[in-house]
Amino acid sequence: MGNTLITVAPTGAEVGKRDAPALPVTIDELVVAAKECEALGASVIHIHIRDDEAKPTLDLGRLRDTTEAIRTATGLIVQLSTGGAVTDPEEDRLRVLEAGPDMASCTMGTVNFGDDVFLNRWAFIVDLHTRMQDRGIVPEYEIFDLGHLAALERLLNKYGLPAGGHVHVDFVMGVAGGMPGTVEALVACKAALANLPEGTTFSATGIGRTTLPVLMASLAAGGHLRVGMEDTITYARSQPVESNAQLVARAVSFARLAQRPPMPPADARRLLGIARVG
Ligand code: KMH
Ligand code: ZN
C-alpha cells in the first residue's frame, strides 16, 4: 500500500453558512482553507463555490477566479464539482469544464439524495466524460452506490479511458438514498474494482457520522481519503467542526498511524495522470 492521497472538500452545496459559520464560502475564505489544508498534507481540493449570499452557484466567472486564486496560493490539484447542487441544470454543470480545472467530478448515476434526487442521466454522463477527454481534464468518478461502478465499466468500455489514462473513483458513502457508510459496503465496492482497468485507485468519504468508520476502512483497504465540511460538520458528538484544517489534520494523523503518510501534490499528479505541473 502506498502513501495516502488526501482530498479536502471544504464547502459543498448543501451546508448553510448559518448552520456552519466556519464554512468557507468566499474566494478569500477558500484560499485560506486551501493553504491550511495543503500545509497539513492535502493534495487535492474538491471545490463548490457560493454567490454573494453564500448560496451555491456555478457562475463561470467565479469558477475561473476561484481556480486561479487557488492555483496562485497553493500547489493543490484543483478539482471542480460538476455535481453542483441538486437544482443545477445540466448545461450549467457541463459549463464548469470551461473554467479549466485539473480535475472535475463525474457522478456515475442518479441517486436519491435526502428528500431530493441527484439526477445523472446516462447521456449526460457520456457528455461529461467525453468533454473531459477532449479538454484533458482528469475525472474523479463519484460513486454513490454499487451500481455506479457497473455504469463506469460500461462507460470506459464504450468511450475509452479518461484523460491521463488513469481511473480514479471516489466512494461517497452514507448519503440518505445511496449506499451506507459501512465497512461491508466499502469492501463490496473495492471488490467491484476488479472489473475496471488495472491500477484503478479509490478514495472514500463517509457523510456525517459515517466519516470515521469509512476513513478507517478506506485506509485499511489501501484506499485514499476525502474529508471536509462538504461531508461532515460535526467533529464529535455535540462538537461542531472548527475548520476544514481540523478534519484534514485528523485524517493525516490516521494516515500516519496506518503508516501511509500523506502524498504530496506532485506525487498525486503523477498517480492521477495530471499533466499540468502545480
Ligand atoms: N452536491 C451534490 C448534489 C459532486 O460534487 O460532484 C453533488 C455532489 C457531487 O456534491
Ligand atoms: Zn461535491
Side-chain angles (χ1 to χ4, degrees), residues 46 48 81 226 230:
H46 169 86
H48 291 251
S81 166
R226 170 173 128 172
E230 171 165 348

Side-chain angles (χ1 to χ4, degrees), residues 155-169:
L155 182 77
L156 299 176
N157 285 342
K158 279 186 104 151
Y159 296 96
L161 287 171
H166 177 82
V167 179
H168 180 71
V169 305

Side-chain angles (χ1 to χ4, degrees), residues 163-185:
H166 177 82
V167 179
H168 180 71
V169 305
D170 179 43
F171 305 148
V172 185
M173 312 183 72
V175 168
M179 65 179 145
T182 59
V183 174
E184 291 78 6

Side-chain angles (χ1 to χ4, degrees), residues 48-131:
H48 291 251
I49 59 164
R50 301 294 178 99
D51 66 15
D52 291 338
E53 270 84 53
K55 300 245 166 56
T57 176
L58 293 178
D59 178 80
L60 183 56
R62 198 175 284 236
L63 282 168
R64 284 196 174 118
D65 292 346
T66 306
T67 300
E68 196 184 315
I70 301 288
R71 281 189 176 144
T72 304
T74 75
L76 290 173
I77 295 166
V78 175
Q79 180 189 106
L80 293 182
S81 166
T82 66
V86 288
T87 45
D88 285 321
E90 290 178 347
E91 60 269 26
D92 292 5
R93 293 172 57 191
L94 288 168
R95 202 180 310 116
V96 167
L97 303 181
E98 292 173 31
D102 303 303
M103 297 183 82
S105 57
C106 178
T107 295
M108 285 313 304
T110 296
V111 63
N112 283 321
F113 198 85
D115 295 341
D116 299 307
V117 175
F118 180 29
L119 185 67
N120 294 283
R121 296 180 311 118
W122 174 249
F124 173 72
I125 294 170
V126 170
D127 215 353
L128 252 184
H129 174 77
T130 51
R131 287 187 197 208

